């Protein structure tokens, strides 16, 4: 029983990363109809940024947790204005290619400066112990990640449901043409939303630095699963992406513990295939009209 | 498609013809060389996962070997015209195959060096066999290079899965780690390592109380399932043996520390680790970890002298892969010098059975039976952070594993 709870807890921790990344992808896709292939690279930049800040400027984990998401959000907004926006009028393939190419460029820039070898990043001292959760001890840092990620998701949820910005974003996500028809200037919110999504990826990256290998390819490995998560949750569904994120984390963790390795390895994609067969729009997605 | 194949064949034919026409003996002092010059080809990963532990710095190591050879023989050298060419195989077997053929055929390469990634290394062994040109594999781990894939032109120089598993498994067990829990990545390398490792542990009187295959590639980057399971096993393991490599190893070790398994009395033994891995994890994260090393830069004065020169060139300390590339290139050139020709069969004949002492090979011998290059290996342990006196000096050598014990006996699978 204890073992099962521990695996569940770990699944939720992995799920927290998926949820944060999928959430960013979902809001960007919802508002811009852009599949942001560079999301993994922004996650990597978040983690690398934290490393560089610590190694070269002595900036602590806590400051990195604040500065990197903001910095990356600004970078994202700049990018949206400069390129993504302009390509938006063309075939979606252009933005697809742009974000994919950007991923390669960002990876190689980091690689050329810091190499492919993983860079060291220690857990902040305040979070390096373990917490007694009654039935078992659990590393403090993992508890922190879980609490923090849930808090961020809840905050986003609150913003979307209780603020005017949130209403516009939700409306524009679900019925973009109709929202415009009501005379709401959707375009004004596109840039901040893109920046916000990128910022979330950066946040996930900073959180990952103490427990994952920090190297230029760290995002490339993870993003494949995150795309599966987004598809399972339903493209553009904000709630779906978060729910699927935590869900896939659980499924993976249980799979590793209780399923044969060959199944555990492909479980995410088995789930994705099953969901697509039964509900082609994803668990929480809505079929889009042919228009 | 058909047309491009046709064009490729035609151009290859033209190039071959040109090569033959221009390749006759000339009036220089090197009549016995087929083309007046020697070209060494370094084929490896120059931007991916293995580019730091080998990569461009292995090219530098081979260049150092060339410079040393020229300095040693001067005018008496078989030729003054020795070049090093290089290509990136991106760890892909098909790319390795093409690049290797291109090196031998079009770049007049006399011998290929390095080639990490077992699947790519096996392809190049096939190419070497077909082209009848020497190939010194340094950085791949698979024992098939001296097993099913062995051939007259292929040499396996630095290490292999058997050496790693046997060295660490047997020696740690005899030094008191009786109960083992094995975690390995679920692909060829991991499975081979786990098998050899468990066999070595059992042969030394230990037991494997649990073994788990982790997904490969492990996209979630999470190993907590196994790390949580370790303390619950009965009997409780003394050591967690991990066969993960590179990034996966870094992930696993970070989380091993997170779950504080060392404090719970479960040590860590690593199947394959390079100096660069310790550098990226920091010695503090790995302190006490035991593994088998093929060579260590700060082992003695000879190694250190080489490491100082290497650092002056590259800004970093050499891994065993770098030192082994230097050694292999040196020994190849020595064989050419000794035989006075770059004829592959003559050079291979000179190398077979040769006993060698150099900066990398101690008690080294090139086995004629399977072309396994045997030499002393080292049981190494990562120092506690407080004992690290200078950058990159991360390990102490617990024991020298004699050449005769370090490698497996020639395999029946190898038919030269």
């Amino acid at each position: 029983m204890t073992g099962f709870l521990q695996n569940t807890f770990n699944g939720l921790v992995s799920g927290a990363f998926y949820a944060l990344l999928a959430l960013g992808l979902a809001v960007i896709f919802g508002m811009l109809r852009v599949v942001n292939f560079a999301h993994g690279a922004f996650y990597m930049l978040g983690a690398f940024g934290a490393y560089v800040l610590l190694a070269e400027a002595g900036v602590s984990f806590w400051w990195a947790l604040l500065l990197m998401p903001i910095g990356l959000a600004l970078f994202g907004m700049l990018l949206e204005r400069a390129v993504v926006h302009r390509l938006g009028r063309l075939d979606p393939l252009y933005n697809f290619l742009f974000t994919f190419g950007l991923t390669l460029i960002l990876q190689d820039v980091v690689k050329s400066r810091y190499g492919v070898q993983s860079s060291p990043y220690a857990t902040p001292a305040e979070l390096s112990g373990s917490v007694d959760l009654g039935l078992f001890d659990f590393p403090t840092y993992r508890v922190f990640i879980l609490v923090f990620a849930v808090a961020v998701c809840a905050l986003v949820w609150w913003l979307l449901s209780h603020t005017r910005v949130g209403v516009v974003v939700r409306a524009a996500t679900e019925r973009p043409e109709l929202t415009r028809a009501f005379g709401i200037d959707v375009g004004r919110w596109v840039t901040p939303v893109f920046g916000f999504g990128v910022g979330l990826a950066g946040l996930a990256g900073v959180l990952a630095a103490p427990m994952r290998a920090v190297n230029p390819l760290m995002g490339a490995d993870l993003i494949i699963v995150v795309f599966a998560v987004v598809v399972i949750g339903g493209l553009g569904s904000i709630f779906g992406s978060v729910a699927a994120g935590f869900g896939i984390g659980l499924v993976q963790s249980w799979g590793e513990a209780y399923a044969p390795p060959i199944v555990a390895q492909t479980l995410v994609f088995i789930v994705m295939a099953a969901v697509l067969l039964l509900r082609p729009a994803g668990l929480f997605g809505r079929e889009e009209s042919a228009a | 498609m058909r047309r491009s194949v046709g064009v490729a064949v035609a151009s290859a034919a033209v190039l071959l013809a040109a090569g033959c026409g221009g390749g006759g003996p000339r009036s220089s002092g090197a009549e016995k060389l087929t083309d007046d010059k020697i070209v060494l080809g370094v084929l490896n990963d120059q931007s991916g996962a293995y580019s730091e532990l080998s990569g461009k710095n292995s090219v530098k190591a081979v260049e150092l070997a060339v410079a040393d050879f020229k300095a040693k023989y001067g005018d008496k050298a078989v030729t003054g015209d020795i070049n090093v060419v290089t290509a990136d195989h991106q760890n892909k077997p098909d790319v390795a195959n093409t690049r290797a053929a291109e090196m031998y055929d079009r770049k007049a390469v006399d011998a290929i060096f390095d080639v990490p990634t077992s699947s790519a290394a096996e392809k190049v062994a096939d190419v070497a066999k077909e082209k009848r040109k020497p190939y010194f594999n340094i950085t791949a781990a698979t024992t098939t290079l001296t097993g099913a894939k062995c051939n007259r032109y292929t040499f396996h120089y630095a290490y292999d899965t058997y050496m790693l598993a046997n060295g660490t498994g047997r020696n740690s067990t005899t030094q008191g780690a009786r109960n083992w829990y094995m975690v390995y990545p679920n692909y060829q390398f991991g499975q081979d390592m786990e098998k050899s490792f468990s066999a070595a542990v059992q042969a030394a009187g230990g037991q494997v109380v649990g073994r788990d295959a982790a997904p490969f590639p492990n996209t979630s980057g999470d190993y907590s399932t196994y790390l949580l399971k370790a303390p619950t096993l009965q009997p409780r393991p003394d050591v967690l043996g991990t066969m993960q490599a590179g990034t996966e190893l870094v992930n696993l070790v970070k989380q091993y520390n997170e779950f504080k398994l060392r404090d719970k009395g479960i040590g860590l033994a690593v199947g394959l680790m390079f100096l660069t891995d310790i550098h990226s994890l920091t010695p503090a994260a790995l302190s006490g970890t035991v593994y088998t090393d093929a060579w260590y830069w700060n082992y003695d004065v000879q190694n250190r002298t080489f490491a100082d020169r290497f650092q002056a060139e590259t800004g970093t300390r050499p891994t065993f892969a770098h030192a082994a590339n230097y050694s292999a290139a040196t020994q190849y050139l020595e064989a050419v010098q000794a035989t006075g020709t770059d004829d592959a069969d003559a050079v291979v004949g000179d190398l077979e059975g040769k006993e060698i002492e150099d900066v990398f090979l101690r008690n080294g011998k090139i086995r004629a039976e399977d072309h396994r290059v045997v030499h002393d290996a080292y049981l190494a342990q990562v120092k506690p952070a407080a004992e690290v006196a200078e950058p990159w000096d991360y390990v102490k050598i617990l024991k020298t594993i004699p050449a005769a014990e370090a490698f497996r006996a020639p395999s029946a699978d190898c038919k030269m």
Side-chain angles (χ1 to χ4, degrees):
Chain A
M1 188 58 197
T2 308
F4 177 76
L5 284 178
Q6 284 178 319
N7 285 322
T8 303
F9 219 85
N10 276 315
L12 291 174
V13 173
S14 296
F17 288 106
Y18 296 149
L20 287 176
L21 287 165
L23 182 59
L25 272 183
V27 292
I28 289 174
F29 181 80
M31 271 306 255
L32 288 85
R33 289 292 181 271
V34 168
V35 178
N36 179 19
F37 261 76
H39 217 62
F42 294 133
Y43 163 81
M44 177 274 288
L45 286 182
F48 239 97
Y51 160 71
V52 172
L53 284 177
L54 183 67
E56 284 172 20
V59 176
S60 76
F61 171 77
W62 301 104
W63 278 107
L65 199 57
L66 181 72
L67 293 175
M68 283 320 298
I70 294 175
L72 279 169
L74 292 174
F75 177 57
M77 285 163 72
L78 191 72
L79 212 61
E80 201 281 332
R81 277 289 96 190
V83 189
V84 177
H85 184 73
R86 287 164 211 267
L87 295 176
R89 292 174 224 135
L90 306 170
D91 191 286
L93 209 54
Y94 283 88
N95 259 321
F96 172 93
L97 287 175
F98 167 67
T99 53
F100 187 72
L102 183 67
T103 304
L104 299 180
I105 293 170
L106 291 175
Q107 281 174 0
D108 275 9
V109 165
V110 176
K111 212 187 266 179
S112 66
R113 175 72 179 79
Y114 296 98
V116 293
Q117 201 67 37
S118 303
S119 305
Y121 197 86
T123 313
E126 302 88 339
L127 298 174
S128 61
S130 57
V131 183
D132 187 357
L133 294 178
L135 280 170
F136 53 86
D137 284 350
F138 210 72
T140 315
Y141 189 70
R142 287 188 178 233
V143 177
F144 166 76
I145 284 182
L146 192 52
V147 172
F148 192 83
V150 169
V152 169
C153 291
L155 180 70
V156 173
W157 182 250
W158 184 85
L159 283 174
L160 288 173
S161 54
H162 285 81
T163 62
R164 182 168 161 74
V165 188
V167 173
V168 172
V169 170
R170 275 189 301 145
T173 299
E174 293 181 7
R175 289 282 182 277
E177 287 80 18
L178 201 61
T179 313
R180 282 199 186 87
F182 279 125
I184 293 166
D185 184 5
V186 175
R188 194 149 63 99
W189 298 105
V190 163
T191 308
V193 164
F194 191 87
F196 177 74
V198 171
L200 275 181
L203 182 73
V206 178
L207 286 173
M211 59 187 282
R212 298 284 160 82
V214 180
N215 65 45
L217 299 173
M218 64 188 289
D221 298 338
L222 194 66
I223 203 67
I224 302 165
V225 180
V226 176
F227 273 113
V229 165
V230 172
V231 170
I232 290 167
L235 260 181
S237 165
I238 288 158
F239 177 74
S241 63
V242 173
F246 282 105
I248 286 301
L250 282 177
V251 165
Q252 269 193 332
S253 175
W254 289 334
E256 275 164 26
Y258 307 111
I262 192 75
V263 177
Q265 210 154 335
T266 45
L267 207 50
V268 179
F269 301 102
I270 295 174
V271 172
M272 182 176 85
V275 167
L276 284 179
L277 279 175
L278 300 172
R279 286 185 64 93
L283 289 179
F284 301 90
R286 203 188 308 229
E287 303 268 356
E288 292 205 28
S289 56
Chain B
M1 190 61 205
R2 178 171 295 170
R3 198 175 129 215
S4 62
V5 172
V7 170
V9 171
S11 40
V14 169
L15 281 163
L16 276 176
C20 291
R26 288 189 189 156
S27 57
S28 76
E31 285 90 5
K32 286 181 179 168
L33 295 180
T34 48
D35 51 6
D36 283 353
K37 62 180 180 183
I38 294 182
V39 184
L40 308 182
V42 181
L43 178 59
N44 62 15
D45 172 14
Q46 309 211 330
S47 57
Y50 307 129
S51 59
E52 222 122 326
L53 60 90
S54 150
K56 293 201 167 68
N57 284 346
S58 284
V59 182
K60 271 275 184 296
V62 170
E63 285 168 353
L64 270 180
V66 171
D68 286 357
F69 177 80
K70 284 180 180 167
K72 180 176 172 187
Y73 288 101
D75 291 344
K76 296 190 185 73
V78 66
T79 174
D81 190 0
I82 307 172
N83 297 311
V84 179
V85 297
T86 175
D88 186 355
H89 73 5
Q90 303 163 31
N91 298 319
K92 294 177 185 153
D94 53 330
V95 178
N97 190 30
T98 317
R99 291 279 174 274
E102 188 179 75
M103 278 187 163
Y104 285 137
D105 287 343
R106 288 173 43 197
K107 299 198 170 156
V109 163
D110 293 292
I112 289 180
F113 297 86
D114 208 9
V115 197
T117 308
S118 294
S119 50
E122 288 178 357
K123 285 278 185 203
V124 178
D126 290 341
V127 178
K129 183 181 179 184
E130 184 199 325
K131 310 283 181 196
R132 298 170 165 271
K133 290 280 174 72
Y135 159 43
F136 298 82
N137 184 283
I138 313 291
T139 320
T142 180
T143 48
T144 55
L145 290 174
T146 52
K149 290 280 177 188
C150 83
N151 63 64
R152 179 164 168 73
Y153 303 96
T154 297
F155 296 86
H156 201 188
Y157 211 83
Y159 76 116
D160 60 30
T161 51
Y162 177 89
M163 172 207 121
L164 297 170
N166 197 52
T168 312
R170 185 156 66 174
N171 286 293
S172 307
T173 306
T174 51
Q175 288 177 7
R178 315 302 296 177
N179 298 321
W180 289 71
Y181 174 43
M182 303 291 184
V183 177
Y184 59 98
N186 200 16
Y187 72 113
Q188 190 70 38
F189 167 78
Q191 291 155 356
D192 286 354
M193 282 294 289
E194 192 274 323
K195 256 187 227 124
S196 313
F197 215 108
S198 295
V201 165
Q202 278 150 1
Q207 64 167 330
V208 178
V209 298
R211 49 166 69 87
D212 274 308
F216 179 84
N218 189 346
T219 43
S220 74
D222 196 43
Y223 290 92
S224 46
T225 308
Y226 318 107
L227 298 169
L228 286 168
K229 187 174 167 186
T232 66
L233 291 166
Q234 290 297 336
R236 194 182 164 108
D238 305 308
V239 195
L240 171 73
T242 166
M243 308 303 137
Q244 267 71 18
T247 306
E248 304 218 313
L249 177 68
V250 173
N251 274 329
L252 189 140
V253 173
K254 277 192 169 186
Q255 293 163 31
Y256 167 88
N257 286 319
E258 225 191 316
F259 285 98
K260 307 221 176 300
L261 288 191
R262 195 180 300 286
D263 298 346
K264 294 178 185 165
I266 300 174
L268 186 67
V270 174
L272 170 58
M273 190 154 69
F274 286 88
L275 188 65
T276 40
D277 293 318
I278 308 176
H279 186 68
S280 66
L281 275 161
T282 72
L286 280 161
S287 106
T289 303
V290 175
Y291 70 105
T292 302
D293 205 348
W295 181 86
Y296 182 58
W297 71 270
N298 203 16
Y299 175 69
D300 61 12
V301 178
Q302 192 183 2
N303 291 10
R304 199 176 164 101
T305 310
F306 173 74
D308 287 343
R309 282 185 59 213
F310 188 84
Q311 189 171 33
E313 287 284 325
T314 65
T316 180
R317 293 297 189 183
T319 63
F320 78 69
H322 298 138
N325 270 294
Y326 172 87
S327 165
T330 303
Q331 296 309 331
Y332 172 76
L333 292 172
E334 290 286 353
V336 172
Q337 181 72 22
T339 55
T341 172
D342 61 358
D343 175 69
D345 288 292
V347 172
V348 168
D350 178 75
L351 287 170
E352 278 183 336
K354 204 178 206 176
E355 293 183 1
I356 300 169
E357 292 290 333
D358 71 8
V359 66
F360 177 76
L361 298 174
R362 303 296 159 83
N363 301 311
K365 185 180 179 191
I366 302 177
R367 272 200 317 226
E369 299 93 318
D370 61 351
H371 288 187
R372 170 74 255 170
V373 180
V374 299
H375 54 89
D376 289 355
Y378 308 90
L379 190 68
Q381 186 175 37
V382 180
K383 290 177 181 176
E387 288 177 29
V388 175
E390 61 176 311
W392 297 97
D393 187 20
Y394 299 143
V395 308
K396 57 184 168 215
I397 301 303
L398 298 178
K399 183 186 166 184
T400 301
I401 304 166
E405 280 175 35
F407 293 90
R408 68 173 183 178
S411 157
D413 296 341
C414 171
K415 296 179 180 62
M416 277 287 169

